[in-house]
Amino acid sequence: PFFVDLRRPELLLNNTISLYLNTEPDVTVGIWHMVPGSRAAEAQGKDQLWYEEALADAHPVIIYLHGNGGTRRAASHRIQFLKAMGAADFHILALDYRGYGDSSGYPTESAFTTDVLALYDWAKPRSGNSSILFWGHSLGTGIATNVARKLQEERGVQVDAVILESPYTNIREAAAHVPVTKIYRQLPGFEYLILDSLAHANMFFTSDENVKVLSCPLLILHAEDDAVLPVHMGRKLFEVAHNAYKDKTKVKLITFPEKLGLGHDYISFNPELPTLVKDFLNMK
């Protein structure tokens, strides 16, 4: 982005610093770390080492995976999410995937997984007894389930929780429902030119398959008036997970009525959100 300095989150947020992590040779991703609001005064003027040590203060840590457009500061709902959940005493690590913002490299599905795994591996040994959860929004929901599944299948590691805000089942179904494709859906070759091309580009984001494998607490949040990814996708994802989970109490769906006007992006503006999340996490 032009005229935006992602190295200075303090222009928008308190108790937040910018840091950079090498996720692969020649790939560096930018991250904002916000410490809990209860430590805001203490955080003034502190360096990165202090912030790293703060991760072990027993407050839960959110690794926040944003949607497709823009950067970690490019949308009001992302800033609102940081403010709301930071005030609720969560640590938040919000990264820009490679190819986004001030992160280097080229974006692909497998590369996104590598970046988030690297951030998890960086945060885990610094977090002490603090729980770590993945929070994905929109595109980020598929990344969240990809990483949680990889951790569980390849390492036997169960992440403390996964929260999916405005999710989809898989990228093929999402592409078939997003408004931008509406005028093309009736044209001959739509499925081949648009939907099949995603598979040819190795983009799948199969949350509906991933949740069948997971066993960690899973919370799905979806607004009834979501015009980008319809709420029936969130409901379908919940049904798949609920059917697959042995412990059904670990899976929960919360929908927000149309009258609230939260749509695809603005669930973070609901003042009840932090309480809903905390209540869910206490179910573990």
Side-chain angles (χ1 to χ4, degrees):
F2 296 105
F3 312 116
V4 172
D5 189 353
L6 290 165
R7 295 169 296 180
R8 300 187 65 194
E10 69 274 11
L11 297 177
L12 293 169
L13 299 162
N14 296 322
N15 45 288
T16 306
I17 63 164
S18 186
L19 60 102
Y20 294 88
L21 181 67
N22 292 324
T23 61
E24 279 188 323
D26 302 321
V27 176
T28 302
V29 298
I31 299 156
W32 281 356
H33 177 192
M34 171 180 274
V35 296
S38 61
R39 304 195 68 180
E42 185 186 357
Q44 297 304 308
K46 296 299 195 297
D47 60 11
Q48 182 177 327
L49 179 60
W50 182 89
Y51 273 75
E52 289 184 24
E53 292 174 346
L55 283 170
D57 64 7
H59 291 295
V61 180
I62 294 173
I63 293 179
Y64 179 65
L65 310 174
H66 66 63
N68 180 57
T71 69
R72 58 193 186 276
R73 68 152 285 171
S76 63
H77 62 272
R78 292 177 193 156
I79 300 302
Q80 175 60 25
F81 173 85
L82 289 160
K83 288 180 177 179
M85 300 311 292
D89 264 356
F90 289 84
H91 285 274
I92 305 168
L93 296 168
L95 83 158
D96 272 322
Y97 322 112
R98 67 181 69 191
Y100 283 70
D102 54 355
S103 299
S104 63
Y106 183 81
T108 67
E109 181 174 0
S110 62
F112 291 162
T113 301
T114 297
D115 292 343
V116 178
L117 274 172
L119 178 54
Y120 177 86
D121 288 340
W122 177 87
K124 184 63 177 175
R126 292 168 170 80
S127 63
N129 293 324
S130 304
S131 59
I132 296 181
L133 55 127
F134 295 134
W135 186 309
H137 173 239
S138 194
L139 175 72
T141 61
I143 301 169
T145 63
N146 277 351
V147 180
R149 178 178 180 175
K150 194 175 185 70
L151 280 169
Q152 188 164 308
E153 285 190 325
E154 297 185 6
R155 303 189 191 178
V157 172
Q158 180 177 288
V159 68
D160 292 300
V162 172
I163 299 176
L164 306 178
E165 177 190 353
S166 309
Y168 49 93
T169 49
N170 58 70
I171 204 70
R172 186 183 182 89
E173 286 192 12
H177 287 92
V178 293
V180 73
T181 65
K182 186 174 182 180
I183 61 173
Y184 302 107
R185 292 173 200 162
Q186 305 306 316
L187 297 177
F190 168 74
E191 186 167 326
Y192 171 75
L193 291 173
I194 304 297
L195 303 186
D196 290 350
S197 66
L198 292 168
H200 292 317
N202 292 314
M203 289 193 290
F204 302 98
F205 296 100
T206 53
S207 284
D208 49 353
E209 293 299 321
N210 294 339
V211 297
K212 294 177 182 177
V213 176
L214 301 184
S215 54
C216 63
L218 176 68
L219 174 61
I220 297 172
L221 308 168
H222 219 129
E224 303 253 350
D225 60 332
D226 190 329
V228 177
L229 295 170
V231 68
H232 72 77
M233 302 192 84
R235 290 195 176 106
K236 182 176 179 181
L237 192 59
F238 168 75
E239 290 298 330
V240 171
H242 192 261
N243 289 336
Y245 267 62
K246 292 181 179 178
D247 184 350
K248 310 297 184 187
T249 66
K250 286 188 172 183
V251 187
K252 186 173 184 179
L253 168 68
I254 298 176
T255 59
F256 299 88
E258 184 175 348
K259 65 181 180 181
L260 295 177
L262 300 177
H264 184 65
D265 289 330
Y266 299 108
I267 288 175
S268 58
F269 283 83
N270 187 324
E272 297 180 5
L273 180 63
T275 300
L276 293 171
V277 172
K278 287 185 174 182
D279 287 347
F280 172 75
L281 295 176
N282 287 334
M283 292 168 56
K284 291 192 292 180

